[in-house]
């Protein structure tokens, strides 16, 4: 007999829609926040049946880039939020209202200045939303890409 579900810690795949599910990870003052954010995202993708393809790997890279950018340029990460629906929305909250800007001329082969280009290239859409205590930088991936594994085509 094989048991799948809450008793084993394994996700129960019933074909139910993941639409509207939201997961949040507090990151304020957390060490190793990029690795923790990637692990958190990987588990969500597995639970939602959106893992095991190249697009899922793109999502993990997007999370890494957004968390790293918040850490380097916005005083640190406060929270990572993932929302499932017709799109997967990735949001990274920080404590500054300064909007991100792409580096005008990143040097090929040298680190730094490539993050927002990567976010733009891998996501279907991205942007920012300011609030009274800072901002969220977000990226979206169409759910159809996560189920099919197809690339952006860019």
């Amino acid at each position: 007999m094989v048991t799948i579900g809450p008793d084993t810690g394994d996700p129960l795949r019933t074909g139910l829609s993941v639409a509207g599910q939201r997961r949040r990870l507090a990151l304020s003052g957390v060490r190793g926040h990029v690795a923790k954010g990637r692990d958190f995202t990987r588990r969500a993708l597995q639970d939602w049946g959106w893992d095991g393809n190249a697009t899922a790997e793109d999502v993990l890279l997007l999370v890494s880039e957004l968390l790293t950018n918040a850490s380097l340029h916005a005083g640190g990460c406060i929270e990572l939020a993932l929302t499932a629906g017709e799109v997967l929305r990735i949001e990274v909250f920080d404590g500054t209202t300064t909007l991100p800007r792409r580096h005008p001329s990143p040097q090929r082969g040298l680190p730094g200045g490539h993050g927002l280009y990567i976010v733009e290239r891998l996501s279907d859409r991205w942007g920012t939303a300011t609030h009274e205590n800072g901002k969220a930088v977000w990226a979206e991936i169409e759910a159809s890409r996560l189920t099919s594994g197809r690339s952006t085509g860019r």
Side-chain angles (χ1 to χ4, degrees), residues 23-84:
R23 296 190 180 184
R24 298 167 55 183
L25 177 65
L27 291 168
S28 185
V30 171
R31 290 183 179 213
H33 60 276
V34 174
K36 286 181 182 8
R38 284 177 62 92
D39 290 343
F40 174 79
T41 303
R42 185 178 291 109
R43 283 191 302 275
L45 293 174
Q46 288 169 345
D47 289 350
W48 294 336
W50 289 346
D51 61 327
N53 60 51
T55 304
E57 292 300 317
D58 289 350
V59 169
L60 297 176
L61 181 54
L62 279 168
V63 166
S64 295
E65 288 298 329
L66 292 173
L67 291 173
T68 298
N69 286 348
S71 180
L72 292 176
H73 306 294
C77 309
I78 296 172
E79 181 178 83
L80 167 64
L82 305 172
T83 307

